[in-house]
Amino acid sequence: MTDPSFELFVDGVDFGEGPRWRDGHLWYSDFYQHAIYTVTANGERSVAHGDLADQPSGLGWLPDGRLLVVFMQTQQLMVEDGNGGLEPYADLSPHAAYYCNDMLVTSDGHAYVGEFGFDIGRGEDFATANLIHVAPDQSVSVAAPDMQFPNGTVTTTDEKTLIVGESFGGQYVAFDRDKEGLLTNRRVWATVPDMAPDGCTIDADGAIWFADARSGDIVRVLEGGEITDRVTPPQRSFACMLGGHDGKQLFVLTSPSSDPRKVTGTGAGAIYMYDTTNN
């Protein structure tokens, strides 16, 4: 049953992904509108980058304030060029078997990008994927191999621990992260059986709120696997991000489907707000 606490923030979304809260605005990508949007706290939406030649996904910022964007299909990491456009920053294709997707960029300019590993849309057999690392010098390497569809990445406040959701593994995996951005000490942070972790965000208590792509619910999990909250938005959720004036408003990106044949051009998706202080 839909939780009545959800409030509509904006509608007219085909398929939103990569939400980020920055400087009083929610940023997100829309796969099938080929655009990146910003929305004020009052729900006023603007196009930050439109008419893109690829499906945009993960978003993040370099220390100098330039936006980084994952181009999914061409497997490129793009950066703002200073003239209102985007230009190539790093080629991810040598380490990506198929589409690239979600991304986390740390405060010191290290980017971590997930990739599919196989063509899920055409029903290919499952194959593991890489978590790709792009260093501040723009060199590209594999941060972690053999991931089960890495999808949704966060760090702890000190950025010394990086946590990645595995959509096909039903779990979150943690790594220690050093000053060079290298990942070690791979371990299971939490198992979430019968769920498919998608876009996620970490709260002040170190718990992860995530969209369960299998059920469409929003779930909050602690390290070790304890589920503290599970709520059902008006539509299936695929990503979420904490923000607002106190950092406790959860912005939930929803759509009737992830299938481009069903949602492209429909604007049938939306973004909802959920006040986490209600719990």
Side-chain angles (χ1 to χ4, degrees):
M1 181 180 296
T2 299
D3 190 306
S5 301
F6 284 93
E7 297 181 16
L8 182 66
F9 185 53
V10 293
D11 55 13
V13 177
D14 283 4
F15 189 83
E17 263 287 8
R20 295 289 181 262
W21 183 263
R22 182 177 172 87
D23 296 334
H25 292 72
L26 182 73
W27 291 68
Y28 73 95
S29 297
D30 194 311
F31 280 10
Y32 308 133
Q33 292 180 11
H34 296 271
I36 299 164
Y37 294 94
T38 65
V39 191
T40 68
N42 295 324
E44 298 175 0
R45 177 169 45 200
S46 301
V47 177
H49 295 279
D51 298 319
L52 299 176
D54 202 332
Q55 289 181 190
S57 184
L59 304 175
W61 286 265
L62 292 170
D64 62 11
R66 287 181 296 161
L67 176 70
L68 289 178
V69 182
V70 174
F71 271 15
M72 296 182 69
Q73 295 163 314
T74 53
Q75 302 165 316
Q76 299 293 307
L77 187 54
M78 309 294 286
V79 67
E80 287 180 323
D81 61 10
N83 297 307
L86 299 169
E87 62 184 6
Y89 181 80
D91 182 8
L92 310 173
S93 63
H95 303 297
Y98 196 53
Y99 285 176
C100 295
N101 191 21
D102 194 48
M103 174 175 65
L104 175 87
V105 182
T106 58
S107 62
D108 53 358
H110 291 267
Y112 300 88
V113 184
E115 56 106 1
F116 284 21
F118 66 106
D119 187 345
I120 187 172
R122 293 187 179 183
E124 286 186 358
D125 291 339
F126 170 80
T128 58
N130 292 322
L131 182 69
I132 302 169
H133 175 216
V134 182
D137 64 3
Q138 297 173 245
S139 61
V140 183
S141 61
V142 174
D146 301 321
M147 300 290 292
Q148 299 179 78
F149 206 99
N151 199 1
T153 303
V154 297
T155 62
T156 51
T157 303
D158 61 9
E159 298 190 333
K160 293 182 179 179
T161 303
L162 183 137
I163 308 164
V164 187
E166 292 186 306
S167 293
F168 282 79
Q171 64 183 8
Y172 279 90
V173 176
F175 301 86
D176 294 338
R177 178 179 172 273
D178 68 16
K179 293 181 180 180
E180 285 70 46
L182 301 180
L183 306 181
T184 57
N185 190 25
R186 181 172 180 163
R187 59 201 183 272
V188 174
W189 187 85
T191 57
V192 285
D194 301 317
M195 301 183 211
D198 204 328
C200 65
T201 183
I202 192 167
D203 67 22
D205 295 321
I208 293 176
W209 293 84
F210 69 93
D212 173 18
R214 182 168 295 175
S215 68
D217 287 349
I218 291 291
V219 182
R220 182 178 185 264
V221 63
L222 302 175
E223 183 175 7
E226 179 185 351
I227 302 297
T228 64
D229 299 86
R230 184 167 190 149
V231 291
T232 302
Q235 284 183 327
R236 290 184 62 193
S237 66
F238 292 94
C240 60
M241 175 55 51
L242 286 163
H245 71 280
D246 59 0
K248 296 180 180 179
Q249 296 297 316
L250 191 67
F251 296 89
V252 179
L253 279 60
T254 71
S255 183
S257 173
S258 60
D259 187 338
R261 297 167 296 181
K262 296 180 179 179
V263 297
T264 299
T266 66
I271 302 176
Y272 289 87
M273 288 190 301
Y274 179 80
D275 187 351
T276 63
T277 63
N278 289 336
N279 297 291

